[in-house]
Amino acid sequence: MAESEGKARRAGRAETASISLAAPQRESTVVDIARQLLSQLLSGHLAPGTRLPSERQLSETLGVGRSTVREALKALDVLGIIEVRQGDGTYLRQSTSSLLPSAIEWGLMLGQPQVLDLIEARKHIEVVIAELAAERADAAAVEELRAHLADMRAARDSTAFVEADVAFHLTLAHAAGNSVLDDILGSIRSLLRVWIRRAIHEAGETQTTIAEHAAVLAAIEQRSPSAAVTAMRGHMDAASGRLHRSLQDDESPHKDDEA
């Protein structure tokens, strides 16, 4: 499969998938379109890396406006199900199996507003986690956090950086000593990878987010809940801002849609 995908890329542009979609029987909404698309994309009939029809084609097939299609695709993009390549098109990601359980568990296919609600909820959850971790983290947890931060600094590519970043947050959640908060963050780890990857891509560098994590770690080392709250809130505000900007970037028309 990898060989065939490589040939398609060398040929210039991948073959566009043929997706069977029915026009909604009632008033179209982002929810309806997102669910239809999700069902098709995760049916197993499309190979990873397959190019999806353009927004214009989907709009015509479904009989809905392109803005509705765009919002539905944006929700799938944030979940990591698809990848929007500016000026090229939209593709099914190489692997979606690890994302599916979280997507179902959180009911994220209710549309873009719910995705944004989860991002907002994560901001507040992470602040509470940091506050508790400053009070409860033991020496082993602090050392593990230091190791993850060191891995972030030493990362040679985005994949290694994202894994170290996610590990930092999961270790922090465990150090908070609250099983519910630990489980919540653990259940969305696949989504964290997607969000962090998008955020650092938007930023174009990693030094800023490294400094934000270092401030959180310093507060944990000092056993200062108030400093941990301030540091984590600053990190969450900045990271969420980067993520939201990346979503806004996706709203620009694709070249193939302008035809």
Side-chain angles (χ1 to χ4, degrees):
M1 183 174 292
E3 181 179 353
S4 62
E5 291 173 1
K7 290 180 179 178
R9 291 193 186 94
R10 288 192 293 271
R13 177 172 284 186
E15 182 179 352
T16 301
S18 175
I19 300 180
S20 300
L21 297 171
Q25 297 301 308
R26 56 187 176 82
E27 183 177 0
S28 299
T29 65
V30 173
V31 175
D32 297 325
I33 304 307
R35 284 175 173 164
Q36 282 205 57
L37 288 170
L38 181 69
S39 176
Q40 286 287 320
L41 295 177
L42 298 182
S43 65
H45 296 143
L46 300 179
T50 298
R51 187 173 185 270
L52 275 59
S54 68
E55 287 179 3
R56 176 178 56 78
Q57 292 170 320
L58 290 174
S59 174
E60 293 174 353
T61 299
L62 293 163
V64 299
R66 284 173 59 176
S67 61
T68 299
V69 171
R70 186 174 299 124
E71 287 300 307
L73 291 174
K74 190 188 300 182
L76 297 178
D77 188 16
V78 175
L79 290 172
I81 304 297
I82 62 175
E83 177 185 4
V84 177
R85 302 176 188 173
Q86 293 300 323
D88 187 9
T90 303
Y91 294 78
L92 181 63
R93 282 193 179 274
Q94 294 301 310
S95 176
T96 58
S97 59
S98 63
L99 290 167
L100 183 57
S102 293
I104 293 175
E105 180 178 355
W106 283 92
L108 290 176
M109 284 307 95
L110 295 178
Q112 176 72 2
Q114 283 69 28
V115 173
L116 298 180
D117 285 348
L118 181 55
I119 294 172
E120 181 181 57
R122 183 215 166 188
K123 288 173 59 178
H124 296 286
I125 290 170
E126 292 269 21
V127 170
V128 174
I129 285 173
E131 181 178 23
L132 293 176
E135 298 174 352
R136 302 173 180 176
D138 58 22
V142 172
E143 190 57 37
E144 191 172 351
L145 289 170
R146 289 171 181 157
H148 295 319
L149 183 59
D151 289 341
M152 291 172 66
R153 289 180 171 131
R156 296 186 176 181
D157 55 45
S158 61
T159 298
F161 184 90
V162 169
E163 288 304 313
D165 194 329
V166 171
F168 183 98
H169 286 277
L170 294 179
T171 297
L172 197 65
H174 186 67
N178 184 296
S179 61
V180 174
L181 293 174
D182 194 8
D183 289 344
I184 288 174
L185 212 63
S187 69
I188 62 169
R189 68 173 65 198
S190 293
L191 299 179
L192 291 180
R193 290 189 181 96
V194 175
W195 295 345
I196 292 169
R197 184 177 296 110
R198 288 183 66 104
I200 64 172
H201 178 75
E202 174 66 25
E205 49 86 23
T206 58
Q207 293 307 307
T208 299
T209 192
I210 287 174
E212 293 163 4
H213 284 75
V216 173
L217 176 57
I220 302 299
E221 292 172 329
Q222 296 164 9
R223 304 291 179 182
S224 174
S226 61
V229 166
T230 299
M232 182 58 81
R233 182 174 290 126
H235 172 45
M236 286 292 100
D237 287 345
S240 296
R242 292 188 285 267
L243 181 55
H244 280 284
R245 286 194 297 276
S246 79
L247 294 178
Q248 292 170 358
D249 289 343
D250 288 347
E251 293 180 355
S252 59
H254 305 149
K255 289 182 180 178
D256 66 313
D257 288 336
E258 297 173 353

